[in-house]
Structure formats: structure tokens, C-alpha cells
Amino acid sequence: MKFQIEEVTVYFPYDNIYPEQYSYMVELKRALDAKGHALLEMPTGTGKTIALLSLITSYSLSKPSNPPKLLYCTRTVHEMEKTLAELRRLHSYQVSLLGTSANYLALGLSSRKNLCINPSVVSTESRDSVDAACRKLTASWVRALAMENPNVKTCEFYENYEKVGSEAILPPGVYTLADLKVFGKEKGWCPYFLARHMVQYANVVVYSYQYLLDPKVAAIISKEMQRESVVVFDEAHNIDNVCIEALSVSVRRQTLEGASRNLSRMAQEIDRFKATDAGRLRAEYNRLVDGLAQRGNLPITDTWLSNPALPDDILKEAVPGNIRRAEHFLSHLRRLVQYLKGRLQTENVEKEGLVAFVASIYTQVGIDQKMLRFCYDRLHSLMLTLEITDTDEFLHIQTICDFATLVGTYTRGFSIIIEPFDERMPHIPDPVIQLCCHDASLAIKPVFDRFQSVVITSGTLSPIDLYPRLLNFNPVVSHSFKMSLTRDCICPMVLTRGSDQLPVSTKFDMRSDPGVVRNYGRLLLEMVSVVPDGVVCFFVSYSYMDGIVNSWNETGILKEIMQQKLVFIETPDVVETTLALDNYRRACDCGRGAVFFSVARGKVAEGIDFDSHYGRLVIMFGVPFQYTLSRILLARLEYLRETFQIKEGDFLTFDALRQAAQCVGRVIRSKADYGMMIFADKRYSRHDKRSKLPGWILSHLRDAHLNLSTDMAVHIAREFLRKMAQPYDKAGGSGRKTLLSQEDLEKMMTNGNIQEMLF
Amino acid sequence: MNNSKGKRSNGDEHEDEDDEEEDEANGGGLEAWERAYADERSWESLQEDESGLLRPIDNKATYHAQYRRRIRSTPSTARIQKGLIRYLYIVVDLSRAASEMDFKPSRMAVVAKNVEAFIREFFDQNPLSQLGLVFVKDGVAQCLTELGGSPDSHIKALMGKLECSGEASLQNALELVYGYLKQVPSYGHREVLILYSALSTCDPGDIMETIQQCKKSKIRCSVVGLSAEIFICKHLCQETGGLYSIALDESHLKELLLEHAPPPPAIAEFAIASLIKMGFPQRAAEGVVSICSCHKEPKVGGGYTCPRCKARVCELPTECCVCGLTLVSSPHLARSYHHLFPITLFSEVSPSYSSKQQQRIPKNCFGCQQSLLNPGNKPGLFVACPKCSQFFCLDCDIYIHESLHNCPGCESLRHSKPVIDAEE
Ligand code: SF4
Ligand SMILES: [Zn+2]
Ligand SMILES: [Zn+2]
Ligand SMILES: [Zn+2]
Ligand SMILES: [Zn+2]
């Protein structure tokens, strides 16, 4: 269908549209028109992605003179492929209506690990080793050597691609990563470098958050994107954490030991070069004297990760004299590593501001702030000079230099926290020096500044007024949309009391109360006997889960549960968890039924969907507050209070509730689906907690479901499940239209009552 | 997301009208748990209307909407072949879950009662067919009665054995039934109707294989659930072309069961017309003593004699145990007849249509003469026969299509036609 939103003709590849998709597009267009940023919350299952893609591409098509580019950021490769698949459908629809004038180029970009087609290279396991293996074949000096010596191996795909030069282009269309690989194989070109090259010209680029938020990667990949771009962060409810992580570095004992090894290898290399090719080192020195820290136009294959500091904060001056000579630089680094090793010896938790930390480095080992600041660039230059290709071996020293550069660059918004062991496991020594960023707005600021529209969207962004404060920006549009449903297919409940009518909670003082543990157990037991197929449980932490499952085991409740359904448990081990999930799904498929125990903030809570029969019920045991004694969290809270006037309690509640909403949101992935959500903690009945849940959950949370005991919840569950099993009409009755056709839209528009339809 | 999209565009546009009432009825007033506590009190069935007045919950509209959706889902206006000879196994789940008391007095008792009604209705509508009973409990399936044409012997067996325990196993039930059904002659329709209380199934092997086996042997499996939708049951029904439904309450359960009484559409591959040899035995003279071939017992009077081998059988329909001839009575055959010639679907007349053409609309139903107007003289929803253009109320609509199998309007037209001719 196609329809008008003001002057823009929107092409939408389906015959019908949900009203909320329509209003989402209207709001989005307002933001684009105003060339401002937007914050939009819309529940999953409502076709957010297609609405976004549809509007933005149609918007570009309506502005042929200066079409804005779309940079679409996803969290995972899987989401990237899904997005591109939707876009392909949209694109072919647009082409079918408009002909070739609707042609555009859209592609996904990921690391070599996902794009390389050289069989000898992709077979290595990790991302870094694929990168290094590729570099070994394609670095400029390797290729130069290969010219003379045919025995030196290069990558034929890169050579072919190089040969064609700027002729190597992708014809317009939509390319998923898989498509790129197919295309690459067909032509014999390297898909990775082709994609890297094409992003500049593409109309739509889909890639991961890091390509914009992590300065190390962004400076290489996204440097040349034009200002007239629309940036979309999808599933962005945790974007503040991504920003913080992009600027945080942890240094452990292994890092330091690795760094020492790296340093001695580099020293050997230097000696070797001194003996064979002393001119190289001298040339480097001269270049540094001339103030060329970053060597401008490097061949594309030589670029490594870039400076960890934000672009505006990178000094454009000459490298300080005392680290220009390679040996001097190495000895400085050696002393720095030594210093950090010393700090790791501590028995106590230490927290320090960056100013004090830098001062202490200076007094102890004589490295000043400016030298620290140049560590990264100096290292990069040295590695190129030494022609090091196995970059995966040098990650340790690189981490140290990242750390040093950040420490030297920033004074506010960071702190150094040294912990001799993990607070929760005090008997296992695991000393770590953490450079913690507390300010999420730092990493995202360049993005807001550089691009004309940034859209942050997710199923859970509540309370929606907090994100602008955390990220320090002014959205021109911020809106939370509800879900229009033909039937009430989600059933949230707040369970405050157990079967004995006593309150349940994971509050610190009640946590280990045997009564609460028993009540939670009985709740699960009753529920597994009335809910078919899959049930998912979320606990507030691993240690809490271990504890409660243990006591259920001792009291025999677990055995009773297992009579009804098989039990699977998430562990910190990814492989184990994947296996457990697989078996869980199988048990749901074959009718045996299963329960999955997992942890809020874990892998499962963020990325795994429990749609349809894989999750008919999700129980959130307790409120998933962060571990409040963590030093990092405390430091961040302090910073938030001082800088943004966000109260500790507010932030903690917000953060807990968004995690809870993420967990329970796992069960509804489309409108045809149905599922129940139980918030099992008396604290959820309090207004200040509950009101922070997203609107689409709140609107289904009836007053009568706010203060339930186990037996009441069981009755509601039975009735709900029976009702949902009845056949229903997906289009919605005439009274409650949830699907609009082109005609409906046109009628509404002429009647001028379009706003009424919207929320 | 892709999924929802796909479904969305397939949405049936022509089902718009009848959902309004459904919404109303579903939005029912009381909370689930309150309702559960309220038990069988009369005020249970009251709900608040828009103006805050109490009125009975209007389930009629829901039922009618469901009924219309059902009959529309099969293109019954076209003459389709029906499988008139059915071999049906009823599988009753007597696992632990059947002892639950959310149906009063218990699921098990309610199931038994309704299966009884179903068996009678089944033979009424499918006089040429046979059924058998299977129980599932303690993780195994056992055959209670073999295929047979006597409602009473099935019912007797069913009522005798009502105890429940252990787990349910769908696979075991299917395997057992499969073993029996694969032997029945190919002109017959192989069907399984499962009444499932449990929410899971504990199977010894891979149930998916069993399902494929059933699918290959053209065994149509339907499930009526008593508690909630289970994926594997849904999968089973989808694969084998059966119906899956969940009972809301006892009356709904009854209705769902009775949906399975009329013969299903014939399976295309077997629908090629085939001739079946049948015998129409005579009732034996009263007072004659003879040994029947089916029970091997001496019987006085009653019973029928096989026209081919003269063996004596007790009940019809059946297969002669001696010569294997299918034995039916002629009224049985006649009763199956209407399934082959279903009457056309009545079209709905919406209130808006009636307000426009007020003068053409009679006030009363042609069938029962009740007023077609809702209380308060608002025009309600009713239907019209496209052939004779008479108007009927919703109750008569269901009655005509489900039981009567004749349109009173068309019938009276046929009778009165000569009169009209004469007047001209
Ligand atoms: S150039 Fe491309 S194909 Fe060759 S190794 Fe590198 S990433 Fe793989
Ligand atoms: Zn007999
Ligand atoms: Zn005979
Ligand atoms: Zn009537
Ligand atoms: Zn008629």
C-alpha cells in the first residue's frame, strides 16, 4: 500500500498497517523535518523496523536532490540480517511501483569474521584472529614483498578487488552479509573490503552500534559519513551501557603479563630492524618530528583500530620528544606496565580520580599526561613501522595503550577503581584495574553533533524522559506508543503474596526467609501445572538463583516441578546455555513441557526470544536491582547525582524496571502471540516502581491484577489460557480496527480524524 | 516480525461484522478469579452493560458468531463429498489432570457425560459408521472397546472404568489407535478424536514420527482440550487435517464435541466414487431362539438375519461376522443422505441494511415467529435464505442447518407453488 504523510508518499510493502505504525511514522517524519533527534518507544511485535525503514527510505525518495542516508545500528548480526531482509522486501515493492528511479543501495557491514570468504582465513576462531590472518595476507608490505617473491602468500580475493580498483562497485539493491559473500564469490572480490568501500556510497548501511559509538572503530568506518544522515539505534534500551563500555577499559593480570611479552617481542623486532634496515626507524622518527602522529591516508588494509579517545579530544600536535625514539617509547611503556603491576598488588579496594592517578604515575615513573595521551598513536605508528601483522597477539599492549590514552585525555566523568577480587566471590583473587566511564553522554555526543537526525528506539524506553538526561541531548520528538490489539493477548500480573497470604519479595531482609522461598516455589509449582509448554523464570542474579534452586531441591519442590515439566538452567557458560536452550525448545515442541531458569541481565534476558509456545508464561522473581555494593555502580551513581541531578533511587529503579520489562517482553514477539507475565514481588505494587514499566505493559495491567496471591493468579491463568486458545479474527472487528487498509487511511485523512485514531 | 506480517495480509476481510459482539462478550465484567469463586450462582452470569445496568452475559451472540465462522470455513454451499463411513476412535485422557475440578464435579465426569451424548449423536448422524474407545492413563494407552456400531455397549464400557491416575501419553495413544485403524477398509474414514486434559505428554519415543505415520495413513486426528492450548496437539491436528479446540466450560465442551458428529469432507484421494456391497437384513421374528454370531450367545427374539449367510446379529449397523457383509438398515442410509445435499448458507442481514429498507423487513422470524427486533425495538442481526428470501432468527439459522437440514421457506414454496400457478 502507499499513502501520504503530508508531502511524502510512503511506500509500505504490506496491504495493511497497524495504527501505531502509522503514528510512529508521523512522529518520525516530524523529527526528520525538524532535522532533530527522536526518542520513540514502541513494543516489539508491532513492526517497528519496517515502519522505520519504510518511512525513512520513502522520505529519501521524496527528496531526490539531497536524499538523507540511513545508518541503521543493530545489536547483533542476527538482527542485522533480519533488518536487511525486511528492507529487501520493501525495496522490491518500491521498485515494482516506481521502477528504477526507486533503486538504492543498502548493505550490511560487519567484521571480517562474518564477511571473509578466504577459506584458509575464516576457519580461525575468533574475530581478532581472522583480522590478523587477513592482515598477514593483505598488509601493504606483504603485498609489496609478494610482487618480488611469488612464494609470499596473498589473498586472491583482495588482489582481484584491487585490480578492478574503483570500478569495483555493487549494483543497486539490498545486500545482507550472506548476499555480499555470494556476490564476492561470484566476482572473486573480497566482500569485506568491497563493503567497506561501498558504505560511503550506500543509501542505507546496517551495522552494529560499535561502528558509531566506539571511537576506536568509528574513526575508521564512519568517518566519512555525511552530515545529512539519519542514524537509528534499534533496541536501544541499553544504549547508555554501550556508551559507557565503549570508553571503559579493564586491565587484569593476564593483560599485563601479555603486554610484557609484547614489549619484549617489539624490542627484538627493533633490534632486528636496526641491524637490517635502520633507515625505517629513522624515517619514522623524522615523520614524528614533523608532527605526523597519525599517518594520513594509509592503505585500507593497514588500518587498525583507531584512537580510543573521542575525535574532538585527540590532540593534533606532534608526538612529545621523549617517546619519538622507538626504544624510548618501549621503555616508557615498560615502566608503565610495571607501575600498573604494582597497583594490582593491593589488598584493598581503591578508588581514585583520574587527576590523582595521572599525578601518581608521574611521580612514580615519570610519565606525564601528554605522553600518556599519545601512547595509542605512538604504538600504532610503531607497529606499522615494524610491519607487525599478527595483531591478535598484540591485543594486550594495545589495551594498555588504550588505557593510557584515555587516562591522559579525560579528567571528568571517569574514575579508576582497583579491586583485588570480585565482591561477590571474595575468596577468589582476581585483581583488576578498571578505568570506568560514568557518563554515557560522552561517547554518543559526537554522533548527536555530527548527524542531523538520531533516532533512538526500542520496546522499552520508560520512563522516556530519563534517556535525554542520561545521554544529554534534546529530542525534538519523544513518544511512547501503545500496542493496538484485537484481543488482550498479554496478561501482566503483580503477585504480592504467596499461597499463605504472606508477602513475597527479594528485598534484602526477606530474601533468605524460608517462607518467601517456599512461596516462590509453590507459585512456580502451581503455575507449571496449569500452563502448557514453555515457562520462563527470571531471577535477580546468579547467586540468588543458585540459592533458591538449592533450597527448592532440599524441600522437594523442585522434584514436584520436574514431574510437570523438565527444568533447564542458564549458566555463565555460553556453550552450556545454548545447549540448555536447545533442549528446552525441544521439550516444548514434543509436548513434554519445560521450565527455563535464567537471570535478569544475562545473555538470555537480552537476546533470546521465547515466542509462542516457547514462553506462555514468564515469572520475574523479585526486582532485578543492580548489585548496589558494586564500586563501579556507586561511582556512577555519585556522578549522575552530581552532574545530571538524577537521584540514586530513581536511577536504580529505572534500571531495574527496564531489565524486568526486557525479561518479560521476551514472551511477546508478535501480535498473534499470547503470554502471561507475573511480577512476583510486593514492591511491584507500589506506584513508583510500577509506573516505570513501559506503557504497553501498564495498559494491560488491570487494577484487579495489582495485588494478587498465588491462588488468584492460578485462576486468572487458567481462564486466560482458555480464552486465548479460542479462534479469533486477526484483523479486528469494525469497532476496534487494528489493521488499516489504504482505503481506511484515505478515509481517515479526508475526515480529518486521523488524530483520534492515534494514541 | 515477519510472521505477523504474513498473517496480517491474509486477514479475512469478510469477517468484519460478527466480531463486534464477540468483543463485547469477551470483555465480560467479572475478574477471572472472582468468577471462579462465584461458582454456580445465578449472579455469575450477570454483567454490567455500558450504562452500568446489570444484564445477563450474552453468550448467544458469541456462539452464533463462532458457528457462522465454522460453517463458512468449509465451503459448504458447493456440494462436497462427505465421508459417510467413518471409523472413529475416541481417546479419553484419564491421567492425573482429569481429576481436576475446574469442571464440576470433575473433568473426568464431565468428559464421560459428554462423550456419552456424543456417541449417541454420532450414530444418529453416521449410521453407517463405527467407533471405539481408548483410555490413556499411567503413561499407557489401553483399548476399552473395539470398533463397533452399538452405542450402548460403548457407553456401558465407558461408564464402568472411570478412574484416573498417572501421566498421559499422546504417542502411546496414537500408536495404539494407528495399529487398529490401519486395518480398516480404505473406503472408510479413519479418525481419532482425543479428549485431552493433561498439559503435557510423556512419550517413550519421537512423537513427531508417530504423527507423520498417522498423516501418511490418512488418519484424521482431532483434539478437544480441557485446559489450554498445547503446541504438540496443535501440530498434530494441523498435520493430519483435524480440528483443535479448547473448551471454555461444560456447554462449550459439548458443542465442540458435537462439531465432530457430522461427517467430515471426504479425503480427495479416496473420494472417487466406489460401490460398496451392503446388506439390509430383516428383523428376526419375535420369540425365535437362536445363537447370535456376534456374542455367541443364545438370544430370544430381536436381532437381524444376514441376507447373504443367514447368520444372526444383534445390532445394526455392523459387519456380518460370518461373511463380512456390511449390514445396515434402510432408515440409517436415508439419514446419511442429507449430508450429501447441504442446504445453502443463509446470508446475514445487518441492522444498517434493515434500517434503510425498513418496509421490506418482516418483524418476525419465518421459522419460529418470534420477533426479529432486539429488546428496545432496535433491529438486531438476522439472516435470510438466498433462495426463498425468507428471514430467520439466529436460533432458527443454527437449527435449520444443524438439525433440520431443510429450509422451511423453500419447502413451503415448493408446496405452495401449484397454488400460485393456479391463481394466475
Ligand atoms: S582480503 Fe577479504 S577475503 Fe581475503 S582474507 Fe581478507 S577478508 Fe578474507
Ligand atoms: Zn450378539
Ligand atoms: Zn453374513
Ligand atoms: Zn426463529
Ligand atoms: Zn429457503
Side-chain angles (χ1 to χ4, degrees):
Chain A
M1 67 193 284
K2 64 177 195 187
F3 51 88
Q4 288 304 123
I5 296 183
E6 289 155 25
E7 80 286 1
V8 173
T9 313
V10 178
Y11 300 90
F12 192 74
Y14 301 97
D15 292 337
N16 294 295
I17 185 169
Y18 295 133
E20 61 268 37
Q21 284 178 313
Y22 180 80
S23 29
Y24 188 92
M25 292 188 192
V26 170
E27 293 292 329
L28 189 57
K29 174 166 183 299
R30 273 184 44 210
L32 298 189
D33 282 341
K35 300 196 192 308
H37 309 315
L39 194 58
L40 300 169
E41 178 184 60
M42 186 155 92
T44 26
T46 47
K48 189 174 23 154
T49 310
I50 190 66
L52 261 170
L53 293 173
S54 210
L55 183 90
I56 297 175
T57 51
S58 302
Y59 192 87
S60 296
L61 288 174
S62 75
K63 310 239 176 317
S65 56
N66 186 16
K69 179 175 187 141
L70 170 59
L71 303 178
Y72 195 103
C73 302
T74 63
R75 290 177 310 174
T76 61
V77 173
H78 177 69
E79 281 169 11
M80 183 189 296
E81 296 286 75
K82 249 178 26 193
T83 307
L84 282 162
E86 290 252 22
L87 185 61
R88 181 186 350 244
R89 183 159 181 185
L90 172 65
H91 180 244
S92 56
Y93 177 74
Q94 286 165 333
V95 169
S96 75
L97 285 186
L98 290 173
T100 46
S101 65
N103 255 333
Y104 49 80
L105 176 64
L107 60 106
L109 178 63
S110 182
S111 64
R112 288 182 179 87
K113 170 96 182 115
N114 295 313
L115 278 174
C116 179
I117 50 171
N118 189 329
S120 66
V121 172
V122 268
S123 53
T124 48
E125 306 108 60
S126 76
R127 211 185 80 183
D128 294 316
S129 52
V130 173
D131 284 359
C134 173
R135 234 172 244 122
K136 259 174 228 158
L137 300 178
T138 57
S140 52
W141 54 91
V142 175
R143 296 183 55 231
L145 212 59
M147 295 282 224
E148 292 147 23
N149 178 357
N151 289 332
V152 173
K153 270 217 220 91
T154 56
C155 173
E156 49 169 320
F157 301 104
Y158 185 75
E159 298 304 321
N160 287 341
Y161 163 77
E162 241 315 293
K163 234 173 273 156
V164 201
S166 56
E167 310 272 283
I169 45 166
L170 274 171
V174 178
Y175 297 87
T176 61
L177 300 184
D179 297 337
L180 284 172
K181 285 208 256 188
V182 170
F183 182 84
K185 276 187 193 142
E186 214 170 83
K187 295 270 182 181
W189 298 342
C190 166
Y192 172 75
F193 286 106
L194 180 64
R196 282 264 309 265
H197 177 65
M198 290 312 292
V199 264
Q200 294 172 39
Y201 311 103
N203 307 72
V204 182
V205 179
V206 183
Y207 53 18
S208 97
Y209 278 33
Q210 272 70 29
Y211 288 146
L212 278 178
L213 291 182
D214 187 342
K216 295 194 281 298
V217 194
I220 293 175
I221 307 276
S222 306
K223 195 169 49 192
E224 265 145 47
M225 303 295 185
Q226 72 242 39
R227 183 178 157 71
E228 290 74 30
S229 296
V230 181
V231 176
V232 174
F233 290 103
D234 197 4
E235 302 293 334
H237 44 272
N238 277 337
I239 193 167
D240 53 326
N241 293 336
V242 179
C243 293
I244 284 178
E245 274 157 31
L247 292 179
S248 298
V249 183
S250 321
V251 175
R252 296 195 136 74
R253 212 177 262 155
Q254 305 90 287
T255 326
L256 291 172
E257 275 154 18
S260 301
R261 274 198 308 278
N262 293 160
L263 287 173
S264 41
R265 216 190 103 196
M266 285 163 91
Q268 282 167 20
E269 294 286 315
I270 290 173
D271 290 341
R272 193 164 63 82
F273 271 110
K274 266 196 192 142
T276 57
D277 188 4
R280 288 191 70 87
L281 291 168
R282 207 169 313 118
E284 188 198 25
Y285 182 83
N286 291 337
R287 199 160 38 75
L288 293 176
V289 175
D290 294 342
L292 295 172
Q294 300 95 344
R295 245 204 257 169
N297 306 314
L298 281 176
I300 193 168
T301 49
D302 290 358
T303 51
W304 196 25
L305 291 176
S306 176
N307 199 310
L310 297 165
D312 290 347
D313 304 323
I314 297 173
L315 277 190
K316 308 270 181 316
E317 352 176 329
V319 175
N322 42 6
I323 55 172
R324 279 183 205 154
R325 292 190 74 89
E327 311 88 301
H328 291 175
F329 177 55
L330 283 196
S331 77
H332 274 102
L333 279 184
R334 226 174 262 128
R335 269 182 290 144
L336 179 63
V337 169
Q338 212 48 50
Y339 171 78
L340 293 176
K341 276 186 183 158
R343 295 293 306 253
L344 265 188
Q345 302 287 324
T346 176
E347 305 257 302
N348 308 312
V349 177
E350 291 172 25
K351 185 186 160 216
E352 225 169 284
L354 288 196
V355 180
F357 188 71
V358 170
S360 127
I361 294 182
Y362 184 67
T363 49
Q364 306 247 342
V365 288
I367 304 176
D368 67 8
Q369 188 192 5
K370 195 156 174 207
M371 277 146 71
L372 286 173
R373 202 165 176 179
F374 274 99
C375 271
Y376 172 80
D377 283 333
R378 184 66 192 89
L379 176 75
H380 192 200
S381 164
L382 181 60
M383 294 196 41
L384 283 179
T385 311
L386 297 181
E387 299 185 339
I388 287 172
T389 47
D390 50 347
T391 43
D392 52 337
E393 298 293 323
F394 285 82
L395 290 177
H396 303 294
I397 189 66
Q398 204 215 333
T399 307
I400 301 294
C401 287
D402 281 357
F403 179 85
T405 303
L406 287 173
V407 166
T409 309
Y410 295 99
T411 48
R412 272 185 62 76
F414 288 82
S415 50
I416 295 281
I417 293 172
I418 306 175
E419 288 177 305
F421 47 75
D422 188 328
E423 202 88 4
R424 280 159 286 185
M425 285 176 283
H427 16 268
I428 305 166
D430 178 25
V432 57
I433 302 180
Q434 295 158 101
L435 169 68
C436 309
C437 172
H438 303 313
D439 192 342
S441 66
L442 290 176
I444 203 170
K445 184 164 181 295
V447 181
F448 284 132
D449 290 348
R450 256 186 70 197
F451 297 108
Q452 86 184 23
S453 288
V454 176
V455 181
I456 292 182
T457 187
S458 170
T460 42
L461 289 175
S462 299
I464 203 154
D465 52 334
L466 193 58
Y467 282 86
R469 285 161 77 195
L470 278 177
L471 301 177
N472 196 15
F473 76 113
N474 281 320
V476 291
V477 173
S478 87
H479 202 106
S480 175
F481 299 88
K482 293 204 186 70
M483 179 154 35
S484 66
L485 292 170
T486 5
R487 50 176 193 168
D488 293 317
C489 66
I490 62 176
C491 178
M493 303 177 231
V494 173
L495 182 126
T496 54
R497 288 161 289 142
S499 39
D500 56 6
Q501 305 302 321
L502 291 175
V504 291
S505 175
T506 54
K507 226 168 119 183
F508 199 68
D509 49 346
M510 292 176 70
R511 211 169 249 222
S512 39
D513 179 346
V516 173
V517 170
R518 192 181 53 240
N519 268 330
Y520 275 151
R522 301 235 43 108
L523 167 68
L524 180 57
L525 179 58
E526 299 256 351
M527 281 298 163
V528 290
S529 60
V530 297
V531 179
D533 301 328
V535 173
V536 190
C537 300
F538 284 99
F539 298 88
V540 291
S541 67
Y542 278 115
S543 57
Y544 182 67
M545 176 167 82
D546 286 349
I548 199 165
V549 172
N550 261 334
S551 42
W552 286 349
N553 188 20
E554 278 156 23
T555 49
I557 289 185
L558 193 63
K559 205 166 146 215
E560 282 180 70
I561 292 171
M562 290 204 289
Q563 272 172 9
Q564 304 282 350
K565 291 189 191 304
L566 304 179
V567 174
F568 297 95
I569 300 186
E570 177 185 7
T571 63
D573 182 339
V574 181
V575 181
E576 254 174 58
T577 304
T578 317
L579 198 68
L581 272 170
D582 251 22
N583 288 326
Y584 170 80
R585 293 226 168 81
R586 206 164 305 145
C588 292
D589 281 337
C590 79
R592 181 64 184 83
V595 197
F596 199 88
F597 288 170
S598 75
V599 172
R601 295 168 203 282
K603 262 241 146 24
V604 172
E606 260 298 316
I608 310 288
D609 288 349
F610 293 97
D611 51 339
S612 66
H613 64 287
Y614 298 124
R616 286 295 179 217
L617 164 71
V618 49
I619 307 180
M620 178 75 238
F621 289 104
V623 187
F625 282 112
Q626 279 190 58
Y627 176 65
T628 38
L629 297 181
S630 142
R631 308 286 157 163
I632 301 177
L633 179 63
L634 291 176
R636 183 172 177 203
L637 287 175
E638 194 184 315
Y639 182 81
L640 286 176
R641 192 188 55 227
E642 283 167 6
T643 320
F644 297 119
Q645 287 78 48
I646 297 173
K647 283 200 219 101
E648 279 108 334
D650 280 354
F651 180 78
L652 286 173
T653 313
F654 147 76
D655 183 64
L657 270 289
R658 77 170 154 182
Q659 297 307 334
Q662 266 305 303
C663 294
V664 300
R666 300 283 104 201
V667 291
I668 295 285
R669 299 326 265 178
S670 86
K671 289 193 178 191
D673 202 356
Y674 64 89
M676 294 180 288
M677 312 158 169
I678 296 183
F679 296 94
D681 193 308
K682 66 171 186 185
R683 288 173 289 175
Y684 284 111
S685 69
R686 284 179 39 192
H687 181 77
D688 65 320
K689 301 276 182 312
R690 192 181 3 116
S691 61
K692 298 211 166 52
L693 286 171
W696 59 275
I697 295 183
L698 280 181
S699 63
H700 286 90
L701 186 55
R702 299 203 240 154
D703 286 345
H705 291 182
L706 283 181
N707 186 11
L708 299 174
S709 62
T710 303
D711 45 338
M712 289 153 131
V714 169
H715 279 296
I716 295 170
R718 276 182 202 271
E719 192 127 329
F720 175 78
L721 289 167
R722 285 214 172 93
K723 211 160 89 190
M724 285 302 123
Q726 303 307 314
Y728 78 106
D729 178 5
K730 295 194 176 65
S734 44
R736 236 169 128 188
K737 268 257 182 262
T738 58
L739 269 184
L740 306 174
S741 64
Q742 189 163 336
E743 262 165 64
D744 292 331
L745 276 178
E746 276 157 16
K747 223 186 294 161
M748 278 160 40
M749 246 167 296
T750 46
N751 294 345
N753 61 353
I754 200 134
Q755 287 309 323
E756 273 164 46
M757 278 303 298
L758 314 174
F759 316 92
Chain B
M1 204 172 332
N2 277 332
N3 273 344
S4 73
K5 285 300 161 42
K7 278 172 197 150
R8 185 195 315 179
S9 33
N10 294 337
D12 281 351
E13 307 97 48
H14 54 82
E15 291 205 343
D16 274 351
E17 298 109 287
D18 45 16
D19 296 280
E20 223 164 59
E21 311 95 50
E22 210 182 35
D23 283 345
E24 251 168 59
N26 283 347
L30 291 162
E31 279 307 316
W33 52 273
E34 288 171 317
R35 212 152 39 228
Y37 288 135
D39 251 5
E40 289 115 9
R41 293 299 126 84
S42 60
W43 40 269
E44 178 208 14
S45 52
L46 291 177
Q47 70 177 19
E48 245 174 283
D49 66 11
E50 309 80 49
S51 49
L53 294 172
L54 288 178
R55 63 186 172 84
I57 293 178
D58 188 10
N59 278 331
K60 215 173 82 182
T62 322
Y63 288 147
H64 187 255
Q66 286 194 353
Y67 150 74
R68 293 208 54 97
R69 180 170 304 139
R70 193 164 71 230
I71 59 176
R72 231 177 340 206
S73 63
T74 55
S76 56
T77 35
R79 180 173 303 169
I80 50 166
Q81 280 186 304
K82 298 277 194 171
L84 290 186
I85 302 183
R86 306 168 65 187
Y87 294 91
L88 171 73
Y89 267 100
I90 303 180
V91 176
V92 179
D93 168 13
L94 288 182
S95 66
R96 209 179 323 112
S99 62
E100 289 207 30
M101 315 227 275
D102 51 348
F103 285 68
K104 300 283 181 285
S106 74
R107 286 185 186 175
M108 175 173 60
V110 170
V111 166
K113 188 168 121 200
N114 285 289
V115 168
E116 175 185 350
F118 171 76
I119 293 176
R120 294 196 188 283
E121 181 70 21
F122 178 82
F123 284 113
D124 210 41
Q125 295 212 29
N126 308 277
L128 306 180
S129 304
Q130 304 193 359
L131 64 72
L133 288 175
V134 168
F135 278 177
V136 207
K137 61 161 122 178
D138 297 322
V140 291
Q142 56 188 123
C143 180
L144 192 66
T145 56
E146 301 204 352
L147 285 173
S150 148
D152 287 311
S153 59
H154 292 306
I155 292 167
K156 220 175 98 200
L158 170 73
M159 291 310 178
K161 278 263 186 145
L162 283 183
E163 268 162 21
C164 49
S165 61
E167 310 288 331
S169 168
L170 201 55
Q171 192 192 15
N172 283 339
L174 288 175
E175 289 284 352
L176 183 75
V177 169
Y178 170 76
Y180 290 122
L181 280 182
K182 71 175 178 203
Q183 297 160 11
V184 309
S186 68
Y187 57 78
H189 251 243
R190 303 160 176 188
E191 288 174 66
V192 188
L193 173 60
I194 302 166
L195 283 112
Y196 212 63
S197 284
L199 282 174
S200 62
T201 160
C202 291
D203 300 326
D206 185 3
I207 187 166
M208 297 296 175
E209 270 169 33
T210 313
I211 292 176
Q212 287 312 316
Q213 207 176 27
C214 292
K215 186 181 177 184
K216 246 182 253 144
S217 317
K218 303 273 180 305
I219 300 178
R220 182 178 189 259
C221 307
S222 298
V223 180
V224 176
L226 279 97
S227 41
E229 184 182 82
I230 308 162
F231 172 76
I232 193 71
C233 294
K234 199 172 171 184
H235 180 72
L236 169 69
C237 297
Q238 263 167 8
E239 285 292 295
T240 61
L243 289 176
Y244 184 35
S245 43
I246 303 294
L248 289 167
D249 51 32
E250 184 172 347
S251 62
H252 191 222
L253 173 69
K254 184 169 173 192
E255 210 186 307
L256 293 176
L257 278 181
L258 293 186
E259 256 175 51
H260 293 274
I267 301 171
E269 176 176 335
F270 295 139
I272 25 153
S274 56
L275 295 176
I276 301 163
K277 216 177 252 173
M278 280 187 193
F280 298 91
Q282 292 223 307
R283 199 169 167 79
E286 294 297 322
V288 177
V289 180
S290 59
I291 293 178
C292 80
S293 61
C294 39
H295 298 88
K296 318 277 186 285
E297 276 169 16
K299 288 270 167 80
V300 181
Y304 303 85
T305 316
C306 171
R308 189 152 75 183
C309 68
K310 303 287 181 259
R312 171 78 175 256
V313 294
C314 291
E315 275 187 78
L316 292 184
T318 185
E319 230 166 77
C320 173
C321 320
V322 180
C323 68
L325 187 65
T326 306
L327 302 177
V328 294
S329 71
S330 42
H332 281 152
L333 203 54
R335 263 195 280 144
S336 300
Y337 180 76
H338 71 254
H339 292 302
L340 299 176
F341 303 102
I343 49 170
T344 37
L345 181 62
F346 291 175
S347 46
E348 263 172 50
V349 186
S350 68
S352 56
Y353 164 78
S354 53
S355 60
K356 258 179 266 153
Q357 317 201 359
Q358 202 81 52
Q359 69 289 8
R360 239 190 56 55
I361 305 297
K363 290 204 172 52
N364 297 326
C365 163
F366 187 79
C368 61
Q369 303 302 320
Q370 300 274 2
S371 171
L372 288 174
L373 299 176
N374 275 345
N377 267 0
K378 272 191 280 165
L381 196 69
F382 50 96
V383 293
C385 169
K387 284 200 185 137
C388 66
S389 313
Q390 295 293 356
F391 294 95
F392 295 95
C393 69
L394 304 184
D395 288 332
C396 286
D397 180 22
I398 298 180
Y399 177 68
I400 289 168
H401 282 92
E402 305 255 286
S403 310
L404 200 57
H405 305 294
N406 276 315
C407 168
C410 298
E411 290 298 311
S412 62
L413 209 62
R414 198 186 309 165
H415 293 141
S416 56
K417 214 159 198 155
V419 184
I420 299 166
D421 284 348
E423 275 176 0
E424 279 173 2

